[in-house]
């Protein structure tokens, strides 16, 4: 009726549009697909960022969102239970553990990354460098014979083990490691089914699974139930779809992620602008750092290295996800200010992890 006509008229008018609290026609907590919705240039929303503004499907409606404090009770806000949270610096500061002066590399864990294959060693290098830059005590990389010299040269701080000629075929002595990450650049080979099966059986601590590790897993759903409890998987939307099926909208994908995290007792890091962390406890966390410059090849490999490093340092799976995703995005934000979003590559994220950690320390010291 008249409201639909008004919305369409305004959207066609060519004028700048400012929406107050919410663009008309947009639902706060469910998909608005099929609605007539104001396409605002700016939205001045009240007190808190709304769930709808964290969904990619609503980007063209909200425009630039500014949150206005209108003086609602902070006490109520702190006490009100919600299954969804937006991660901010106060949450990160409360769980970040600065290094102690009297410590050695043994205090910061022993990580293992299974990464790389012929033609895809870049993924392994990015993941290994990110792991080391995130504070792990020591790192061993399992890779193929063709990638051995590359890894030893590009990442001299990491130790290497060879398995297979052009891709990884087998791994041993996994119990030596504090944390294991698998997937970046390993390729998709039939024998990877048995590789995953062996890892799931022999490593009884949480894993980080990404990239071709997830692509292999999606081909063999019978393995899902064998994933070690509290493991972390890091799919982008297409990988998530291959694992768990299509969703009609972003809200449906979020709910499906929460269902699967609970059913499989794993943490699902669904990558995107506001990366979503679904937990087996039934809670979900949206990240509030990062930018579109990070939509570049290798960015996910960097995240895998960061998460594996934090797990090795004895952060819980939940805290590894929260800190790791926030840190990854923050390093990307700092990189964007230095090199621009357009020129950013995955290596720039690694190069700015140090500055991101320094900001953690400043936040923690003021608490």
């Amino acid at each position: 009726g008249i409201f639909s006509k008004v919305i369409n008229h305004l959207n066609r008018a060519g004028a700048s549009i400012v929406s107050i609290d919410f663009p008309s026609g947009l639902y706060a907590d469910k998909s608005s697909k099929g609605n007539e919705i104001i396409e605002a240039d700016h939205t001045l929303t009240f007190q808190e960022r709304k769930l709808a503004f964290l969904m990619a499907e609503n980007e063209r409606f909200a425009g630039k969102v500014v949150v206005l404090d209108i003086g609602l009770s902070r006490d109520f806000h702190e006490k009100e239970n919600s299954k969804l949270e937006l991660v901010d610096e106060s949450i990160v500061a409360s769980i970040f553990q600065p290094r102690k002066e009297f410590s050695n590399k043994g205090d910061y864990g022993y990580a293992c990354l299974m990464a790389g294959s012929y033609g895809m060693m870049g993924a392994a290098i990015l993941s290994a460098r990110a792991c080391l830059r995130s504070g792990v005590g020591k790192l061993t990389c399992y890779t193929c014979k063709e990638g051995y010299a590359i890894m030893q040269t590009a990442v001299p701080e990491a130790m290497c083990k060879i398995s297979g000629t052009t891709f990884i075929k087998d791994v041993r002595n996994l119990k030596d490691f504090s944390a294991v990450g698998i997937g970046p650049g390993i390729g998709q080979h039939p024998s990877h089914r048995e590789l995953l099966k062996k890892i799931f059986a022999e490593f009884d601590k949480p894993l980080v699974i990404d990239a071709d590790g997830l692509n292999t897993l999606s081909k063999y759903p019978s393995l899902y139930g064998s994933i070690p409890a509290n493991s972390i998987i890091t799919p982008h939307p297409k990988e998530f779809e291959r694992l768990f099926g299509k969703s009609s909208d972003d809200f449906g994908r979020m709910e499906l992620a929460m269902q699967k995290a609970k059913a499989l007792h794993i943490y699902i890091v669904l990558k995107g602008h506001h990366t979503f962390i679904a937990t087996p406890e039934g809670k979900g966390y949206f990240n509030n750092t990062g930018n579109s410059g990070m939509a570049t090849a290798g960015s996910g490999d960097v995240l895998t290295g960061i998460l594996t490093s934090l797990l090795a340092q004895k952060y819980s799976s939940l805290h590894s996800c929260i800190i790791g995703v926030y840190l990854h995005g923050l390093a990307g934000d700092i990189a964007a200010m230095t090199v621009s979003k357009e020129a950013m590559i995955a290596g720039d994220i690694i190069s700015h992890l140090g500055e991101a950690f320094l900001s953690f320390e400043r936040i923690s010291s003021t608490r």
Side-chain angles (χ1 to χ4, degrees), residues 89 93-94 96 98 357-367:
E89 64 179 30
S94 69
F96 174 62
F357 271 114
L358 288 173
S359 73
F360 276 14
E361 292 176 8
R362 286 193 292 270
I363 294 165
S364 297
S365 65
T366 59
R367 287 180 64 80

Side-chain angles (χ1 to χ4, degrees), residues 17-241:
I17 298 177
V18 179
S19 284
I20 304 302
D21 199 33
F22 240 76
S24 297
L26 188 69
Y27 292 128
D29 54 6
K30 65 180 181 178
S31 180
S32 304
K33 284 187 174 180
N35 289 9
E36 300 289 353
I37 306 168
I38 282 287
E39 296 176 11
D41 298 286
H42 302 271
T43 298
L44 309 182
T45 198
F46 299 144
Q47 204 65 40
E48 299 293 344
R49 190 175 292 268
K50 310 305 189 292
L51 180 60
F53 300 151
L54 304 177
M55 301 296 182
E57 67 183 55
N58 294 329
E59 180 180 16
R60 70 187 179 98
F61 306 120
K64 182 175 176 58
V65 177
V66 178
V67 180
L68 303 177
D69 188 338
I70 58 171
L72 298 183
S73 168
R74 298 307 301 174
D75 185 57
F76 174 84
H77 172 83
E78 294 299 330
K79 291 180 179 178
E80 181 68 10
N81 288 322
S82 172
K83 69 177 184 178
L84 300 173
E85 287 199 46
L86 184 64
V87 174
D88 59 19
E89 64 179 30
S90 66
I91 293 175
V92 174
S94 69
I95 58 180
F96 174 62
Q97 299 294 322
R99 290 199 171 208
K100 296 179 180 179
E101 294 299 323
F102 289 88
S103 59
N104 60 71
K105 67 183 179 184
D107 297 324
Y108 300 106
Y110 184 10
C112 173
L113 281 172
M114 301 171 194
S117 59
Y118 183 76
M120 291 193 287
M121 288 308 301
I125 291 166
L126 289 167
S127 191
R129 285 178 174 169
C131 186
L132 289 161
R133 283 287 183 194
S134 300
V136 74
K138 60 179 180 176
L139 168 66
T140 285
C141 295
Y142 258 106
T143 195
C144 61
K145 185 177 180 181
E146 291 283 355
Y148 179 77
I150 296 171
M151 284 297 293
Q152 291 277 260
T153 305
V155 194
E157 298 90 348
M159 296 172 284
C160 284
K161 290 189 177 183
I162 297 175
S163 173
T165 303
T166 58
F167 60 89
I168 299 170
K169 287 194 173 180
D170 191 22
V171 291
R172 297 177 183 177
N173 302 320
L174 295 182
K175 292 182 179 179
D176 293 343
F177 303 113
S178 311
V180 169
I182 180 170
I186 64 171
Q188 298 183 50
H189 304 278
S191 61
H192 284 352
R193 177 187 182 182
E194 292 305 312
L195 178 65
L196 287 180
K197 193 173 179 181
K198 179 177 182 179
I199 293 167
F200 293 169
E202 294 186 6
F203 194 71
D204 59 358
K205 301 170 202 169
L207 297 161
V208 180
I209 312 171
D210 182 38
D212 285 330
L214 296 177
N215 290 328
T216 299
L217 193 59
S218 67
K219 294 176 183 177
Y220 306 105
S222 61
L223 294 178
Y224 290 8
S226 303
I227 301 172
N230 298 313
S231 289
I232 302 168
I233 68 170
T234 59
H236 56 57
K238 276 295 180 185
E239 288 167 342
F240 182 84
E241 183 180 300

